[in-house]
Amino acid sequence: MVFMNINEIFNTDIDIKKLAKRLNNIREDEKARIARQIHDELGQILTTLKMDLSYLAEEIQFTHKEIFERLIRIIGLTDDAINSARQISSELRVPLLDHLGLIDAIDWQIKEFQKRNNITCNINISKNLNIDKEKSIAIFRIIQ
């Protein structure tokens, strides 16, 4: 039979809460790192690809109709890839949260929700919130 006194139980509970908080912070930091890589590296590659394709399309639009039409389709796919990278990046980590704060990030998220779902939303948030970074992330994730 194993006995634990009540203080050991509470200390274990506190340690578990600290561990959970630390793991959540690590997860959010990793999401931010991945979001930056997607936005910066992949976004830059796709944008350069689109510029080069657009240049080629402009050069051959009158001389090679079939190739021009194919390039236009590829440019459209590249636009889709750029938009997907932007969406994935923003779902992982919203830069507005870091740069402008929780209220603006929530406002942006609600506008995005309204655009996607054609549902009108009203929000009433005090502009004088004083919330630390960890709580801001948690609140934003709940809304997201």
Side-chain angles (χ1 to χ4, degrees), residues 3-4 14 27 35 48 58 66 77 87 90 96 132 142:
F3 292 98
M4 291 181 77
I14 291 169
R27 190 172 29 251
T48 302
E58 191 173 310
E66 290 176 15
L77 290 172
Q87 172 112 17
S90 69
L96 284 175
D132 65 35
I142 290 167

Side-chain angles (χ1 to χ4, degrees), residues 3 24 26 31 50 52 56-57 63 69 74 76 91 98 100 108 114 119 122-123 127 130 132-133 138 140 144:
F3 292 98
N24 192 51
I26 290 169
K31 283 182 177 182
K50 180 182 175 185
D52 288 346
L56 290 173
T63 58
E69 289 172 359
I74 294 171
E91 285 176 7
D98 295 329
L100 298 178
W108 173 83
Q114 290 179 132
I119 297 173
N122 295 315
I123 185 166
K127 299 290 182 188
N130 188 13
D132 65 35
K133 180 181 176 183
F140 182 77
Q144 193 178 35

Side-chain angles (χ1 to χ4, degrees), residues 9-10 20 22 28 33 66 75 82 85 97 110-111 118 138:
I9 293 170
F10 286 124
R22 177 75 177 125
E28 288 297 330
R33 185 188 66 75
E66 290 176 15
I75 291 168
I82 290 169
L97 189 57
I110 288 173
K111 287 177 183 170
N118 200 25

Side-chain angles (χ1 to χ4, degrees), residues 21-107:
K21 185 177 180 180
R22 177 75 177 125
L23 289 173
N24 192 51
N25 289 342
I26 290 169
R27 190 172 29 251
E28 288 297 330
D29 290 346
E30 184 66 7
K31 283 182 177 182
R33 185 188 66 75
I34 293 169
R36 275 191 304 275
Q37 279 185 303
I38 290 171
H39 180 268
D40 295 346
E41 294 174 27
L42 185 58
Q44 184 177 15
I45 291 167
L46 289 169
T47 300
T48 302
L49 177 64
K50 180 182 175 185
M51 289 170 49
D52 288 346
L53 289 168
S54 296
Y55 170 78
L56 290 173
E58 191 173 310
E59 289 296 312
I60 65 162
Q61 69 180 330
F62 300 112
T63 58
H64 296 88
K65 185 89 168 147
E66 290 176 15
I67 296 173
F68 171 74
E69 289 172 359
R70 178 169 270 183
L71 280 173
I72 295 301
R73 284 195 301 272
I74 294 171
I75 291 168
L77 290 172
T78 305
D79 280 336
D80 293 345
I82 290 169
N83 290 332
S84 291
R86 190 176 295 131
Q87 172 112 17
I88 291 167
S89 176
S90 69
E91 285 176 7
L92 284 169
R93 181 67 174 194
V94 175
L96 284 175
L97 189 57
D98 295 329
H99 299 295
L100 298 178
L102 178 61
I103 294 169
D104 289 328
I106 289 172
D107 188 50

